[in-house]
Amino acid sequence: MNTLFDKIWDSHVVQVIPDGPTQLYIDRLYAHEVTSPQAFDTLRDKGIKAFRPNQIFAMPDHNTPSDQQEVINDPIGRKQVETLKRNCEEFGIRHFAMGTKDNGIIHVVGPEKGLSLPGMTIVCGDSHTSTHGAVGALAMGIGTSEVAEVLASQCILQSKPKSMRINIEGTLQKGVTAKDVALYIMAKLTTSGATGYAVEYAGSTIRNMSMEGRLTLSNLSIEMGSRAGIIAPDETTFAYLKGREYAPKGADWDKAVAYWKTLKSGDDAVFDKEVDIDAADIKPRITYGTNPGAGIAIDGTIPTFDGLDDAAKAQLESQLKYMQFQPGQKLEGLPVDYCFLGACTNGRIEDFRAFASIVKGKKKAANVVAWLVPGSWLVRQQIIDEGIDKILEEAGFELRLPSCSSCLAMNPDKVPAGKLSISTSNRNFVGRQGPGARTVLASPLVVAASAITGRITDPRTMM
């Protein structure tokens, strides 16, 4: 096969169980407060210690408030965060506590600290672990029982997925970002189109994409059903990782890069499925439904029922009823109530630079509530160091504290029922941003333009 995925998978096989799964060695386990408590309880009940605690890193992010971080008022969220701290102390695991400079969203902190490296196997009890595949790692979300497996043995039992390569060639249009590329792919393949596959992103568009863009694209791999999304490491990867806190140093760095350069699919690599996309076909995107694949170009219209079978018609009808939209409706120009910039999808420095490029010298619409939430304390410091905070402040925006924030309704940043939010996050599921909340997914540029006009706005009109 000789694919990048095969190279990493095969080098981590401990044993293959006949007619069963593969025992795979795991280089890095990330843990947060939501899915880890039961896993630690499993070890405690069995009297087992963490096998290799130095390869495990933990931090709270889902329940972390973005307005202040002195106290978590929600008793369930507070208990989860406190429990993570106690479990890390008991099992000797590195813990990046809320409010400290090391904290942030786990899928932002991992790459920016150089904890996520090419050739690694990386797991976390969170579906968006696929993010780390952007550095050339095999990264997968796992369940709570599997977190316990890794804590106890630094291994996991997995069935090997099939392989898919998505080739994207050409130059992206003005105003088109990695987020738009991901939303386009999801609409093309559907949210189940990559189920059972590990996806490699390739082609000139990917090679020319920044590291932050690649992280966004890999982050959303799970939203089309993929087990993992991976990008071959190259000079962009090496430049991003060099000098990071946990990245190799000196001679070890040179040795690592020499190995990392071998991590690519061979010219004769055979994939189970290949998909070809022309970058020129992609416009800025928005979603209209209640899954990330229900999307259109920003100047497009919602599909109609024409030609749909009964099941597809019922599904579209249900989504539009919840979203309070109509078949054939154009969404550009529709008033919005909330704008959210952040999440493990778009909470990096490049996303804030993009947002600031649109809002500079303008004023936030009076009718809009905006939450601008960095993905980590490092990102927040970069925003301040670059003066982006001043641009945001002058435009009427407040820079908040690192948190998962309004990506999901597990902290105070909830969108009220019926209100329409345009968001850089990863999911527009029913109630995802709050019970009854309606979510349109978009890029930082689209969210910025919409925050200024108070309506869903094509950023190309403001660039």
Side-chain angles (χ1 to χ4, degrees):
M1 296 289 282
N2 203 26
T3 69
L4 169 58
F5 172 78
D6 287 319
K7 288 180 179 181
I8 300 176
W9 178 279
D10 293 347
S11 68
H12 286 79
V13 171
V14 177
Q15 62 175 326
V16 178
I17 299 167
D19 301 318
T22 299
Q23 184 184 18
L24 204 66
Y25 184 78
I26 299 302
D27 295 305
R28 183 80 71 223
L29 168 66
Y30 293 127
H32 58 61
E33 75 275 26
V34 179
T35 56
S36 67
Q38 299 91 334
F40 282 108
D41 284 344
T42 298
L43 266 65
R44 196 176 286 112
D45 292 345
K46 296 180 180 298
I48 300 173
K49 294 181 179 180
F51 181 55
R52 291 193 169 159
N54 289 341
Q55 290 171 233
I56 304 166
F57 289 80
M59 69 197 75
D61 52 15
H62 284 54
N63 290 288
T64 306
S66 73
D67 57 343
Q68 56 76 37
Q69 294 185 357
E70 300 301 318
V71 64
I72 296 174
N73 292 315
D74 175 60
I76 296 173
R78 185 170 63 249
K79 184 176 182 181
Q80 286 184 329
V81 170
E82 290 171 350
T83 300
L84 178 66
K85 182 174 183 288
R86 285 198 307 272
N87 282 332
C88 288
E89 288 171 351
E90 179 180 344
F91 288 90
I93 289 165
R94 185 75 58 88
H95 175 248
F96 297 153
M98 183 176 78
T100 65
K101 68 176 179 60
D102 295 312
N103 183 253
I105 304 172
I106 208 158
H107 304 313
V108 175
V109 173
E112 76 179 12
K113 281 191 169 293
L115 285 165
S116 302
L117 298 171
M120 278 186 167
T121 49
I122 300 171
V123 295
C124 175
D126 185 282
S127 54
H128 293 103
T129 307
S130 57
T131 308
H132 307 269
V135 303
L138 171 52
M140 303 177 288
I142 58 175
T144 298
S145 61
E146 294 170 311
V147 173
E149 279 180 32
V150 181
L151 284 170
S153 68
Q154 209 59 37
C155 291
I156 193 172
L157 295 174
Q158 287 283 293
S159 296
K160 188 176 183 178
K162 293 182 288 185
S163 62
M164 179 191 297
R165 180 162 58 187
I166 299 178
N167 303 292
I168 311 173
E169 298 287 351
T171 304
L172 295 173
Q173 298 181 40
K174 181 180 75 170
V176 176
T177 71
K179 181 64 163 289
D180 302 298
V181 174
L183 291 173
Y184 180 88
I185 294 170
M186 284 185 274
K188 185 180 177 73
L189 294 185
T190 77
T191 49
S192 61
T195 300
Y197 291 89
V199 171
E200 179 179 342
Y201 299 101
S204 61
T205 310
I206 304 302
R207 290 193 296 274
N208 291 324
M209 197 175 276
S210 69
M211 202 63 224
E212 282 89 349
R214 296 177 187 186
L215 288 160
T216 294
L217 184 59
S218 295
N219 173 271
L220 289 159
S221 302
I222 186 67
E223 305 306 340
M224 54 187 181
S226 175
R227 198 72 189 87
I230 191 167
I231 296 171
D234 58 14
E235 294 301 329
T236 299
T237 319
F238 310 149
Y240 175 86
L241 291 172
K242 190 169 187 178
R244 300 277 173 179
E245 186 177 351
Y246 288 89
K249 305 289 191 299
D252 289 338
W253 170 261
D254 296 334
K255 184 179 177 182
V257 170
Y259 165 60
W260 295 344
K261 286 180 177 179
T262 70
L263 295 175
K264 55 186 176 183
S265 293
D267 295 337
D268 58 347
V270 178
F271 291 82
D272 295 301
K273 184 174 183 178
E274 298 230 27
V275 176
D276 295 314
I277 292 171
D278 185 346
D281 293 338
I282 307 173
K283 295 181 177 181
R285 307 278 301 178
I286 50 175
T287 59
Y288 60 82
T290 54
N291 72 66
I296 52 174
I298 195 163
D299 57 1
T301 56
I302 296 174
T304 64
F305 296 135
D306 295 346
L308 298 182
D309 60 29
D310 290 344
K313 180 181 177 182
Q315 184 185 43
L316 179 57
E317 205 166 27
S318 171
Q319 293 192 64
L320 296 184
K321 182 179 179 182
Y322 181 83
M323 291 299 294
Q324 301 173 30
F325 296 156
Q326 298 298 320
Q329 181 181 355
K330 188 177 175 71
L331 296 183
E332 188 179 4
L334 191 73
V336 296
D337 304 300
Y338 283 75
C339 291
F340 172 53
L341 172 66
C344 59
T345 313
N346 285 119
R348 297 175 183 83
I349 186 61
E350 184 178 280
D351 303 308
F352 280 81
R353 289 172 185 153
F355 189 97
S357 73
I358 295 289
V359 307
K360 186 176 183 178
K362 304 179 181 71
K363 291 291 181 183
K364 179 181 77 67
N367 63 298
V368 167
V369 175
W371 289 320
L372 277 51
V373 187
S376 71
W377 283 93
L378 178 60
V379 172
R380 192 175 195 276
Q381 191 58 52
Q382 286 177 290
I383 291 167
I384 294 167
D385 292 345
E386 295 182 18
I388 293 172
D389 60 324
K390 297 291 190 292
I391 294 171
L392 300 176
E393 187 180 342
E394 287 168 7
F397 297 95
E398 173 200 358
L399 181 64
R400 295 171 78 91
L401 305 179
S403 163
C404 285
S405 183
S406 187
C407 178
L408 77 173
M410 288 188 68
N411 55 71
D413 295 350
K414 296 180 180 68
V415 176
K419 297 295 185 182
L420 185 64
S421 165
I422 188 159
S423 171
T424 66
S425 51
N426 40 53
R427 287 182 172 163
N428 51 349
F429 297 167
V430 170
R432 173 76 176 182
Q433 288 194 285
R438 301 180 296 143
T439 301
V440 169
L441 300 179
S443 75
L445 293 176
V446 174
V447 172
S450 304
I452 293 298
T453 63
R455 300 173 178 275
I456 295 176
T457 300
D458 189 333
R460 295 174 296 184
T461 63
M462 300 174 72
M463 295 177 76

